[in-house]
Amino acid sequence: MNRVRALEQAEMRASTLVRLATVSVLLCVVFTYAMATTQSRILSDAFPVISETFVGKPQSSVSEFILGWASLVLFGMSWTIKTYLERYASRDASWRRWARRTTWFGYAAAVALALTATINYDESFRAHITAAFGFLFNMVIWLALVIHQLRRHPN
């Protein structure tokens, strides 16, 4: 009974979500790179493009699952940070609207990461790269807007 109460009272911190997403992506890269090198899948002699490691049978499934999981965690993190900004970094309604609008870039980054995982490098190079850069640009914009709001409201 005490365990149930402890779980009900436990809070998910944004830092926990960040760590979970980072570890998920890191594990994905390490596992798929290890599998790709054992199958001689790496096309370049130098450090490979990460997308090269995601093709092939076992690593494709691993990358789809782990990056899909990371995108789900990123979606949750975006929502958690939006809630934090609305409650603690908003003096008025205009800043709460700012937080809600900012969150859409985080959601778009999560969707683009999921698309990057599901569209294989060999299936459609153009779609895979478009999704990857969509993820990158949406993440940068989202983080810049969140940092801007936090700097404007240091309390």
Side-chain angles (χ1 to χ4, degrees):
M1 192 65 155
N2 289 336
R3 280 186 158 177
V4 173
R5 285 187 186 157
L7 286 174
E8 288 174 353
Q9 294 175 352
E11 292 181 11
M12 180 64 80
R13 295 186 174 141
S15 62
T16 303
L17 288 172
V18 170
R19 286 186 189 102
L20 190 57
T22 304
V23 167
S24 296
V25 172
L26 181 65
L27 285 174
C28 179
V29 171
V30 168
F31 283 136
T32 56
Y33 183 75
M35 284 186 242
T37 53
T38 60
Q39 296 175 356
S40 300
R41 175 64 188 150
I42 306 302
L43 302 175
S44 59
D45 292 333
F47 193 75
V49 175
I50 292 173
S51 297
E52 284 181 340
T53 66
F54 290 175
V55 292
K57 262 306 144 200
Q59 62 265 34
S60 179
S61 301
V62 169
S63 68
E64 287 177 15
F65 175 76
I66 295 178
L67 285 181
W69 171 253
S71 71
L72 184 64
V73 171
L74 177 59
F75 190 84
M77 189 173 67
S78 299
W79 181 79
T80 302
I81 289 175
K82 174 190 78 92
T83 304
Y84 175 81
L85 292 175
E86 285 179 338
R87 290 186 184 166
Y88 301 109
S90 299
R91 279 184 245 158
D92 53 25
S94 65
W95 280 106
R96 282 188 284 284
R97 280 193 306 275
W98 172 278
R100 281 192 291 273
R101 290 180 189 143
T102 296
T103 304
W104 286 104
F105 287 101
Y107 294 157
V111 169
L113 182 60
L115 286 173
T116 303
T118 57
I119 302 170
N120 198 311
Y121 184 78
D122 283 344
E123 292 171 349
S124 175
F125 177 73
R126 179 178 282 166
H128 179 82
I129 294 299
T130 301
F133 277 102
F135 164 71
L136 176 68
F137 292 135
N138 278 300
M139 275 301 288
V140 169
I141 293 168
W142 177 59
L143 289 172
L145 293 173
V146 167
I147 289 169
H148 173 71
Q149 185 168 2
L150 290 174
R151 284 185 162 212
R152 293 292 303 265
H153 297 85
N155 294 335

